[in-house]
Amino acid sequence: MTLLTEAPLTAVERNRAYADTLGWGARLSDVRRALNPRRTAWDGAALVTETRKWQSRTGLPADGVLGPTTWAYLKVSAGLYTDPVIAAQFPVQGPGCYAGGPPDRRFARPETVRALLATARGWHAARPGGPRIGILEISLRGGGPISRHGSHRLGLDVDIRPVRSDGHEGPTEWNQPGYSQSLTQELVDRLHGNGVLPVHFILFNDPGIRGVRKWEGHDNHLHVRFRPPAPAWPSSARGPGPQPAVRSPSPPALAALTSSKGPSEDGATPPDRLPATVPSPSGGRRTDALGTLVAPRSAPPYRFTPDDLLWTARFLVGETGGHRNEVEQAAVVWAMLNRYGLLTRARYPSFHAFLRAYSTPLQPVLRSWRATRRASRNGDFIAIGGVFGPPAPPGVQMGQRQRYLELQRLPWERLPAAARSIAVRALTGALANPVGNATEFGSTRVYFHDRYGRYPSQAEWQQFTERFAAGRSWTWLGPVPGLNQLGNTFFVQNRLASLAPRAVRVLPP
C-alpha cells in the first residue's frame, strides 16, 4: 500500500485543530456572530459553510477553513482586535482626487491608499482640468465595526462619488440630472485597472455601467471592495511602542503563499506533493504504509498518515535544524509521540495537528507571548494579527518568524535528508526511544537567560533545570548518553511515573 491512499484532513477537522492552535475556540460565540449573526443552528459543517461564505465576501480563498489568514481578518472585522496596519489616512486632496468623508473614517491599509492614488493619478493625467474623484468613507483607524455600515471594517472598502457631468465636485445620483454615465464608467474601469490592489467587486445601481453589481442603497455612491493584499498577513506593520524590524515575506515565500497550485491556507500538502512511497534510510524505496501508535492511555490505536510524515520532518528541522546527531533528533520526536499518545490524543484529530499546536516553529502564529518576544528580536519577524492581552506586557505583537513560515510550506523533497530519514524511521517503528516516557522539552538554558540576562554555567544550569521541573510537577530526565540537553532539556510528568518504561510504542506497518 502506498501513502497516497490516506485521506487528507477535512475542513471540519482542520477547523477543530485551529480552534485550539489559534485560540478562536475560546471565542466561538463571537466567531459565529461575526460569520452570520442570524444563524442559530451550528455544528462543524455549518461553521465551514459560513466561513466559506465570509471568505468569499471578503475576497479570501474560500476553503471554509478558519486558518491563520482568515482568523487574522475575521477578528478585526468582529471588533475583537484592532489592526495597527489600518493606519494610512487618505489625504485631504491630491492629483485627481479629494476627500469628502470625515477624517476619522478615512483610514485604510497602505495598499488601499496606494490603489486609490494610482487611480487618481491616471485620472488626473487624462483630465487635468477635473472634475476630481471624490473619496468618501473607508474605515476607522485599526478597523472594526463602524456606524452606518455593515462593512468598511478591514481598510479595504471605499465609498466613492459618481462623477458629475457639469464639472462640479459634489454629490449626485445615477438617475438624477448632472450625473455622467460615461465619466463614471471611466472611473470604474480605472479602479479595476489600478495596478496596485485587485478589486473584489464594486456596488453601484446604474444598470448601464459595466463592472459593477446592483445593491440596495448604492444610487449615490460606488462601494469598492479591494481584495486583501497578498501575502495575506494583515498586521505586518509596527504596533505601538518600540518595535523590531518587520518585513514582508520574500518573493519565494510570497509565491508559496499565493500559488493556486500550492498548499492550502493551513499548510496541508496536497496528495500530489507527498512522497508516493516511504523512502528508506538507505536510500531505497519502500511501498508499505506507515506504522501505528499504541499507548496505554490512547484508544483506539492511531495510524500515521502522509501529512504526519511531512510535518514530522518539518518539526525536526524546526526543533533541531534537521542535522543534529540522531539521539537529539530521536529525543524530540519521541517526546512528541509520548505526549500525543499519553496526554493529547483526544484533543487533536491527527499527530500533525498536534505538532503544529505544540511546536513553536510550526505554529502559524506563535501562541506564547514569551516565545513571541524572543522571536521578535530577529530581523525576519512578521507581525500577524493584534497584540497579546494580559498577562503579557503591553504591546507584544503577535506573529511568527519568516524562516518558520517558509519551513511550514517546504515540500518533502526540499527537507534535509537526515530529517526525512528520522521521520520515516520514527513513524514506521524503526527508531529507538532515548527518553523513556518524557513528554516535555524546552531550553532551560534560554529560560535562564530570559530571567537573568546571561547564560548559566553548567552547575547553574543543572540547578535551575531541577527547580524549573519541580515547580511544574515534572522530573528532569537526567543525563542521557549522546544527548546534549543544553539545547533541549527533557522532562517526565510526575503523574506518568507509574507507567512502564517506554509505554508508547510505534508498531511497524
Side-chain angles (χ1 to χ4, degrees):
M1 179 184 295
T2 68
L3 296 182
L4 290 178
T5 60
E6 300 289 348
L9 285 179
T10 66
V12 171
E13 291 171 326
R14 291 173 184 169
N15 281 339
R16 191 175 299 127
Y18 272 129
D20 183 73
T21 303
L22 300 180
W24 56 257
R27 309 296 297 268
L28 190 57
S29 60
D30 294 314
V31 168
R32 291 170 172 174
R33 187 161 46 249
L35 293 174
N36 186 346
R38 293 179 295 277
R39 184 159 195 156
T40 58
W42 288 90
D43 58 12
L47 183 68
V48 170
T49 297
E50 297 300 338
T51 299
R52 186 178 291 117
K53 291 178 181 178
W54 191 89
Q55 290 168 324
S56 180
R57 293 193 300 271
T58 305
L60 295 168
D63 59 3
V65 176
L66 218 170
T69 301
T70 298
W71 174 231
Y73 282 108
L74 182 67
K75 64 185 178 183
V76 175
S77 178
L80 302 177
Y81 294 90
T82 58
D83 190 341
V85 81
I86 307 176
Q89 188 176 37
F90 193 82
V92 174
Q93 61 181 347
C97 63
Y98 68 96
D104 64 340
R105 292 173 172 247
R106 295 204 312 267
F107 288 95
R109 298 178 181 277
E111 297 91 342
T112 303
V113 172
R114 292 201 301 270
L116 293 172
L117 293 177
T119 301
R121 285 194 300 270
W123 181 272
H124 178 70
R127 302 182 179 280
R132 296 175 299 171
I133 300 170
I135 305 299
L136 303 177
E137 298 190 359
I138 308 177
S139 292
L140 301 175
R141 181 189 287 271
I146 178 172
S147 61
R148 303 195 305 272
H149 293 284
S151 55
H152 289 265
R153 300 180 176 207
L154 294 172
L156 297 168
D157 295 278
V158 186
D159 288 343
I160 303 177
R161 283 178 173 152
V163 186
R164 296 179 61 92
S165 60
D166 55 12
H168 293 168
E169 295 173 350
T172 186
E173 298 187 15
W174 73 270
N175 52 6
Q176 297 292 326
Y179 163 74
S180 172
Q181 185 180 79
S182 62
L183 292 178
T184 301
Q185 180 67 69
E186 181 181 341
L187 171 59
V188 169
D189 294 341
R190 290 187 180 277
L191 286 164
H192 279 291
N194 71 82
V196 176
L197 199 58
V199 170
H200 187 38
F201 59 71
I202 299 177
L203 305 179
F204 188 52
N205 287 342
D206 182 351
I209 296 289
R210 303 179 305 278
V212 301
R213 306 177 189 175
K214 294 183 64 176
W215 199 263
E216 183 179 359
H218 290 78
D219 290 339
N220 64 352
H221 70 280
L222 291 78
H223 178 124
V224 182
R225 173 166 296 176
F226 292 99
R227 289 187 181 275
W233 303 109
S235 296
S236 55
R238 291 180 173 88
Q243 295 289 319
V246 175
R247 59 193 180 95
S248 298
S250 63
L254 175 61
L257 289 169
T258 59
S259 170
S260 61
K261 297 182 180 179
S264 61
E265 178 184 309
D266 70 348
T269 302
D272 62 355
R273 299 293 182 87
L274 294 171
T277 56
V278 181
S280 72
S282 62
R285 307 294 288 181
R286 292 170 52 178
T287 57
D288 50 347
L290 294 169
T292 301
L293 181 78
V294 292
R297 300 187 181 190
S298 179
Y302 175 80
R303 184 175 177 183
F304 293 109
T305 70
D307 275 336
D308 293 331
L309 179 64
L310 175 64
W311 283 100
T312 300
R314 288 172 174 167
F315 165 79
L316 285 164
V317 175
E319 295 289 351
T320 72
H323 299 289
R324 294 186 185 177
N325 70 56
E326 181 174 311
V327 176
E328 292 180 5
Q329 296 193 72
V332 295
V333 171
W334 268 106
M336 294 296 91
L337 293 170
N338 289 340
R339 186 173 182 84
Y340 187 60
L342 296 173
L343 302 175
T344 64
R345 172 77 189 280
R347 294 179 57 195
Y348 297 99
S350 65
F351 181 60
H352 72 270
F354 157 69
L355 286 178
R356 299 201 70 197
Y358 187 86
S359 172
T360 54
L362 301 187
Q363 292 167 6
V365 181
L366 289 169
R367 302 173 64 189
S368 161
W369 67 264
R370 289 185 175 88
T372 302
R373 190 165 61 178
R374 287 194 294 269
S376 68
R377 298 170 186 150
N378 295 277
D380 67 342
F381 182 76
I382 297 175
I384 305 170
V387 297
F388 284 92
V396 179
Q397 171 70 59
M398 295 178 176
Q400 177 59 285
R401 294 186 63 183
Q402 179 182 344
R403 63 178 294 186
Y404 293 142
L405 294 173
E406 292 177 345
L407 169 63
Q408 293 165 24
R409 304 282 176 171
L410 206 61
W412 172 262
E413 61 272 12
R414 291 181 57 195
L415 292 165
R420 288 183 289 167
S421 173
I422 293 291
V424 169
R425 292 167 61 192
L427 272 55
T428 56
L431 185 68
N433 176 357
V435 293
N437 292 330
T439 60
E440 318 294 331
F441 70 89
S443 179
T444 50
R445 181 172 179 267
V446 171
Y447 303 157
F448 184 101
H449 181 273
D450 286 347
R451 179 173 297 184
Y452 300 110
R454 62 178 179 86
Y455 288 108
S457 66
Q458 181 71 27
E460 288 175 326
W461 168 79
Q462 182 166 335
Q463 185 181 46
F464 179 85
T465 295
E466 291 171 348
R467 290 202 310 266
F468 177 86
R472 289 160 176 76
S473 298
W474 301 346
T475 299
W476 176 40
L477 195 63
V480 176
L483 183 60
N484 177 13
Q485 294 189 68
L486 289 176
N488 282 315
T489 315
F490 292 83
F491 306 91
V492 179
Q493 292 194 17
N494 293 345
R495 59 176 166 158
L496 303 178
S498 62
L499 294 177
R502 295 173 177 81
V504 175
R505 295 177 296 148
V506 176
L507 303 181

